[in-house]
Amino acid sequence: MRVTVIGTGFVGVVTAAVFASFGNEVYGLDIDEAKVASLREGKVPFYEPGLEELLIGEQKKGSLTFTTDYAEAIPGSEVIIIAVGTPSTPEGEADLSYVYAAAKSLSKHLDEGTIVVVKSTVPPGTLDTVETAIKEGTKVGFHMASVPEFLREGSAVIDTLNPSRVVLGATDQEVFAKLEFLHAPLQAPVVKVSPESAQLAKYAANAYLATRITFINQVADLCEHSGANVDEVIEAIGYDERIGNHYWYPGFGYGGSCFPKDVKELAYYSREIGLGHNLFNKLNELNEERIPLIMAKIERAAGGWAGKKVAVLGLAFKPNTDDMREAPSLKVIPILLEKGASVVGYDPRALDNAKKVLGERENLSYSASLKEAAAGADAIFALIEWPDIVGFDYVLLREEGKAQVMVDARNQLDKSKLEAAGYIYVGIGR
Ligand SMILES: NC(=O)c1ccc[n+]([C@@H]2O[C@H](COP(=O)([O-])OP(=O)(O)OC[C@H]3O[C@@H](n4cnc5c(N)ncnc54)[C@H](O)[C@@H]3O)[C@@H](O)[C@H]2O)c1
């Protein structure tokens, strides 16, 4: 089948490479010329394990072509997948302008009977407005579907090849049949639903995961005031099958390219339909205030930041990615600088992106070596659980007689060992 994926960001480029690997003829289309030029050379402009190898392989086979030209990529394609960004506005509304721009551009080249799939995360009702936008540019008949994406950055290739489910949102049996055929090699359960259910399922999935993170953070706060230990509470509640012991991450709150944005968009959507007094609006509020509250607690433990050297280890929003979107470092570092600390940032993959996003700032430097970044520090933040960060022996950097704070933002370090070595250990609810 010939397939075109519009938007070759995280989702689009993985989707295009995976469908090409199933024997389809795939076009990856983007308006960003530099990105397309880089992809043509087999270079993925972001770090995602396994993606570059897959991409180069499929390009060599001739099954995957990248272009900026709608006239080249749209005619002849049976399925067109829109995977452009949908960032949220400051008010939390999903910005659909990229989706509508893609719809407008593709409409001029559309063949009769093509299926246009919206994979970007969009609020319920968007399929109708995108259809209207396409109809303004074409007289041919076409079909619409909503196929949300559930991959996680850092394991995007594995997730796309082994999805827990494929959700197909459509109204027409022929559309379902064709999309089922396209997704058949994934051998995943297929959930066939209305477009609105597919769209809401995507938001509901991320809002639920964000709820678990927020919930366990609130439990961790209670642990700190009661002498309980959140790890023990998790073990104790996890035996109940309705709860489970998976996906409990006490920490600095949720970040990344999806959870904060999707919760905000769901909160905004709820407000728009008159249901704003709900969990999603509260979730967003709690997550926004999480880092300032924790930083105040750590500041008390450190006895203030003025004139202190602080190492911030882990700048991306999570391990195995160099994506800085809504990374905790972007909130933690400005607070430290504002309070008078000098900060050294370290990340095994995201240093370049961090420099771009954080920019040049007084008292902020970077190191490509974890050891160099943390040596002599008054406080070390193990912010993200990259294996080298949680595997490092911080006892080696302990300086006798000096007050040194060790912040274990993901509860991954050995508290007893660090305390025995003389560190002032700050974890989450332990
Ligand atoms: N990143 C994730 O982990 C993830 C997971 C699931 C769902 N999603 C959703 O998937 C969508 C895409 O996310 P992403 O992280 O891949 O975004 P991204 O920002 O990484 O990539 C979007 C791409 O779309 C391109 N683009 C914008 N307008 C275009 C146009 N008119 N024509 C062609 N290309 C255009 C941009 O140049 C960019 O390369 C979003 O709706 C997001 O919420 C993302």
Side-chain angles (χ1 to χ4, degrees):
M1 197 183 290
R2 185 164 151 181
V3 177
T4 292
V5 181
I6 304 181
T8 58
F10 283 84
V11 169
V13 84
V14 177
T15 305
V18 165
F19 281 136
S21 75
F22 294 156
N24 298 293
E25 184 192 350
V26 181
Y27 274 89
L29 170 63
D30 205 289
I31 47 169
D32 183 334
E33 287 182 9
K35 195 176 267 184
V36 168
S38 152
L39 289 166
R40 276 186 182 148
E41 287 171 20
K43 290 191 198 119
V44 179
F46 49 84
Y47 175 65
E48 187 59 52
L51 182 56
E52 210 147 86
E53 296 83 325
L54 184 65
L55 191 94
I56 292 170
E58 293 311 316
Q59 280 183 304
K60 273 195 187 140
K61 277 200 273 170
S63 50
L64 179 57
T65 309
F66 290 101
T67 179
T68 54
D69 187 2
Y70 273 82
E72 180 189 359
I74 302 299
S77 278
E78 291 167 72
V79 176
I80 294 167
I81 301 172
I82 301 179
V84 299
T86 48
S88 43
T89 65
E91 292 74 38
E93 185 178 9
D95 176 356
L96 301 176
S97 57
Y98 302 101
V99 175
Y100 293 131
K104 194 176 169 200
S105 304
L106 74 86
S107 68
K108 299 179 194 114
H109 308 284
L110 210 54
D111 287 343
E112 183 76 32
T114 309
I115 300 174
V116 180
V117 169
V118 177
K119 184 170 270 303
S120 303
T121 303
V122 295
T126 304
L127 214 59
D128 295 339
T129 51
V130 174
E131 184 174 8
T132 306
I134 297 175
K135 279 184 177 161
E136 281 169 13
T138 185
K139 294 258 181 295
V140 306
F142 61 94
H143 307 282
M144 296 292 300
S146 187
V147 182
E149 181 55 60
F150 296 93
L151 64 77
R152 296 162 298 174
E153 284 179 28
S155 54
V157 175
I158 292 170
D159 288 355
T160 309
L161 285 168
N162 307 282
S164 49
R165 76 294 204 192
V166 170
V167 177
L168 304 179
T171 49
D172 185 312
Q173 289 312 316
E174 272 180 41
V175 174
F176 278 129
K178 204 158 198 177
L179 292 178
E180 267 193 283
F181 179 75
L182 177 65
H183 291 85
L186 296 170
Q187 298 182 322
V190 174
V191 187
K192 290 190 272 181
V193 294
S194 70
E196 292 76 15
S197 298
Q199 290 153 346
L200 205 54
K202 170 65 195 171
Y203 281 118
N206 276 355
Y208 175 70
L209 296 173
T211 303
R212 278 179 81 104
I213 292 173
T214 308
F215 175 85
I216 207 64
N217 281 338
Q218 304 246 296
V219 173
D221 289 348
L222 299 184
C223 288
E224 285 178 15
H225 286 273
S226 62
N229 179 330
V230 75
D231 300 336
E232 293 176 358
V233 174
I234 288 171
E235 189 185 353
I237 63 175
Y239 277 94
D240 185 329
E241 281 176 7
R242 293 168 303 173
I243 298 171
N245 56 14
H246 64 286
Y247 209 76
W248 292 120
Y249 292 110
F252 277 40
Y254 55 83
S257 62
C258 288
F259 288 5
K261 167 180 107 58
D262 290 355
V263 171
K264 275 184 208 156
E265 291 176 8
L266 196 55
Y268 182 93
Y269 177 75
S270 312
R271 293 199 297 278
E272 283 294 288
I273 59 171
L275 296 174
H277 182 63
N278 66 6
L279 175 67
F280 314 121
N281 281 280
K282 192 67 192 171
L283 259 186
N284 186 37
E285 227 176 84
L286 291 170
N287 199 55
E288 293 273 321
E289 62 194 35
R290 177 89 186 140
I291 289 183
L293 285 176
I294 295 193
M295 289 302 285
K297 176 185 88 175
I298 302 169
E299 187 181 358
R300 286 193 293 277
W305 294 122
K308 304 262 174 79
K309 175 189 169 181
V310 182
V312 176
L313 312 179
L315 304 175
F317 87 83
K318 68 172 184 179
N320 287 324
T321 182
D322 58 4
D323 195 343
M324 293 292 297
R325 286 181 279 187
E326 299 275 343
S329 64
L330 298 180
K331 289 184 179 162
V332 167
I333 291 175
I335 293 175
L336 292 168
L337 292 174
E338 193 200 318
K339 301 268 179 181
S342 56
V343 177
V344 186
Y346 163 80
D347 192 285
R349 289 276 177 181
L351 274 189
D352 288 346
N353 283 350
K355 284 176 193 168
K356 276 186 219 150
V357 181
L358 284 158
E360 292 288 317
R361 297 185 194 211
E362 208 180 335
N363 295 326
L364 173 61
S365 59
Y366 301 90
S367 174
S369 147
L370 186 161
K371 204 170 165 188
E372 262 174 45
D378 299 291
I380 302 170
F381 280 65
L383 204 51
I384 296 299
E385 69 276 31
W386 279 100
D388 65 332
I389 294 173
V390 294
F392 189 80
D393 186 2
Y394 295 95
V395 174
L396 298 174
L397 301 178
R398 176 73 193 121
E399 292 178 21
E400 267 312 304
K402 176 171 170 166
Q404 282 175 299
V405 176
M406 185 73 228
V407 180
D408 185 7
R410 303 274 175 153
N411 280 0
Q412 296 279 323
L413 306 180
D414 186 337
K415 176 182 179 189
S416 325
K417 184 178 162 189
L418 291 163
E419 282 182 340
Y423 277 106
I424 302 163
Y425 172 92
V426 185
I428 308 290
R430 308 167 117 180

